[in-house]
Amino acid sequence: MTKPELSAASASLAQASRFPAAASPSSRAEHDVMANAIRALAMDAVEKAKSGHPGLPMGAADVATVLFARFLKFDPAAPDWPDRDRFVLSAGHGSMLLYALFYLLGYPKMTIDEIERFRQRGSLTPGHPEHGHTPGVETTTGPLGQGLGNAVGMAIAERHLAALFGGDIVDHTTYVLCSDGDLMEGISQEAIALAGHLKLNKLIVLYDDNGISIDGPTSLADSVDQVARFRSAGWAATRIDGHDPAAIAAAIEAAQKSDRPAMIACRTTIGYGAPHKGGTEKAHGSPLGAEEIAAARQRLGWSYPPFEIPPGILAQWRAAGERGRPARLGWEKRLAALDAKTRTEFARRIRGELSGKLAAAVKDVKQKLAAAPKEIATRAASELALDALTVALPEMIGGSADLTGSNNTRAKAMKAIKPSDYSGTFIHYGVREHGMAAAMNGMALHGGIIPYSGTFLVFSDYCRPAIRLAALMGQRVIFVMTHDSIGLGEDGPTHQPVEQLAALRAIPKLKVFRPADVVETIECWQLALQSNDAPSVLALTRQNVPQLRQGYDEHNRCLTGAYELAAADDDAAVVSLFATGSEVAIAVEAKKLLAERKVSARVVSVPCFELLLALPEAKRAAIVGTAAVNVAVEAGIRQGWDAIIGSDGAFVGMTSFGASAPYKELYQEFGITAQKAAEAALARL
Ligand SMILES: Cc1ncc(C[n+]2csc(CCOP(=O)(O)OP(=O)(O)O)c2C)c(N)n1
């Protein structure tokens, strides 16, 4: 289409103050002005903010217009409608694409004022999309590749819940818009491979194939044939002109019919419409500048002032926004027609509410342990807990990154999720820690599922970016991480976490649990499940530990993060021994050694720093106590412990990497023993 034609179409649409509310553009001209509205808002908002990324929204505007105006099932009046299609903007730097769409489509809170306040404090339009902050944003994106990983989890969640509740209630598609950067990140390989293997046919990736990243053309660093790459992973993949609405629509239609996940490589021009900067890295991540914007307006035939969308064009967009309402109302009717039991269960799961069966299951396990104590590894304790918990809470979906037998994350009754049957509740993620964690975030975000996983604690480093995002988004995702210290023994220093506990505790909001025995393990599981606004890590031992908590106590003693496990033999403890996990038993032994020296000591188990440090000052101080000497024992580094034991406290732990040997020898060699803990206390008295 030539420029004058564009201008004429734009003008006639703009003049029609009561534009016929057709559901989707009926001509190329209508499409073009709708797409140009996105482009104009993006370049003007970035210009006003003096920062941001105009290139992606301008380049992907045609793809987004076709998707949102013709295909995506959503309702701005109910952004959380459970059966909506999910749209994940994996390339979160292109956030203005989402914000422009939300405004144009009529999401009530996304006013033009919010668009004008792009990237300003308190606005609904932060630099990168933030879930829970802006209605309609399905997941927090920005770290490239994560959104794609989340989308795989969302697509798994959809298939699983559809298998349980039927296609009348659960039948939606997950769409992703991703960029070159998303596909260069390693996590994308894990996500793509898993989705292809599971044949997630309701996952459609639109790849903004513009060949440009920050440094310049992607050819500087990349020569992957993405279509071939996706095909080899079991996807349907195709290549189209991403500025041709008919081609985009045809490709999406075909993708919707695919029996496997589909990728559409949409060849686009970054910063489409900007005559000098378009097609170059100059359009990627900085304002285009007044001159270039004026020239782009000319080129696009867009003659309206910044932040002004003529009524006719806005009406066309708003009509597109209304498109999904009948579908939502129809779904609500179908939901209401379900039998009461199914409907209540579906609603409970979607709300993320725990059933009353959880408390009963925990009580039952604790009573059995009181009657017949167990000296087992906390990873085995976790399996024992899961056998009960997964029955009480069938919305739990477990998994492991190829360490199922080591992580003990598969409860007896669980069957695996397979392409031929998604009703299972266990996922063999393969050796893909990062993809696993990102997929779990997606499942939690989707709703209706409580995901948990398994890997070795040392490999938390392999999925840390996704753990961080789970915390940032406040999602209930549970990371079981076994082999939590030199106590794993012979596998040696490559597998022995030393700094990982401290590193995980450094992530705001993340609850890092390190239970001391089988009773604490079930209590920590209960707390992790109850933590519906934050993720948890359960750091568990490979080696056996004694059951320190004897007798039945209905209270969850781990709730305060730390508690006095063994009181001083008299009223005046001069030593407080703090420990976590497998080292609590060592602290108990140290207390005995000190008693032999007539030194009165108490033992405080510290299963969760975050919970302890969140207590009101007086309560925390009461647990920490006022002994003359504080000693902490943990087979990790000291970092973080000073908040509990003070900088003058003694620390018995690791200061180097571990070594390969039977674990008891390692505890001796690295001095993590009752003897050393007692000596450390005595030296300070
Ligand atoms: C994990 C991660 N690494 C680096 C960045 C910084 N970054 C933002 S966009 C980008 C690449 C931009 O290229 P592309 O993905 O093709 O986006 P486009 O230029 O098409 O907008 C980079 C490196 C990031 N956001 N996330």
Side-chain angles (χ1 to χ4, degrees), residues 560-585:
T560 48
Y563 65 95
E564 191 175 80
L565 176 80
D569 300 326
D570 52 37
D571 277 347
V574 289
V575 175
S576 283
L577 293 157
F578 299 88
T580 74
S582 40
E583 286 72 71
V584 179

Side-chain angles (χ1 to χ4, degrees), residues 534-557:
S536 303
V537 166
L538 289 164
L540 306 173
T541 67
R542 171 180 186 245
Q543 75 277 27
N544 285 352
V545 289
Q547 183 173 325
L548 299 170
R549 290 271 300 280
Q550 303 278 340
Y552 175 68
D553 183 349
E554 83 166 292
H555 296 293
N556 187 324
R557 300 200 73 192

Side-chain angles (χ1 to χ4, degrees), residues 265-336:
C266 309
R267 178 44 63 100
T268 63
T269 301
I270 190 169
Y272 180 92
H276 308 105
K277 297 187 174 178
T280 77
E281 69 275 15
K282 292 194 178 74
H284 163 82
S286 34
L288 294 177
E291 227 173 275
E292 180 76 353
I293 289 177
R297 280 188 145 74
Q298 273 267 312
R299 163 83 55 105
L300 295 169
W302 187 266
S303 53
Y304 319 108
F307 305 107
E308 202 178 299
I309 306 296
I313 300 170
L314 192 59
Q316 178 75 359
W317 267 114
R318 294 285 156 97
E322 298 272 302
R323 213 171 34 83
R325 185 181 302 165
R328 174 176 59 93
L329 297 176
W331 178 85
E332 283 172 2
K333 275 203 188 115
R334 292 196 298 280
L335 183 72

Side-chain angles (χ1 to χ4, degrees), residues 53 55-56 91 93 128 142-145 179-182 184-185 208 210 212-214 218 270 284:
H53 302 76
L56 185 145
H93 61 273
H128 293 82
L144 290 164
S179 65
D180 297 306
D182 282 301
M184 281 193 247
E185 288 291 350
D208 182 33
N210 62 26
I212 294 289
S213 64
I214 292 178
T218 49
I270 190 169
H284 163 82

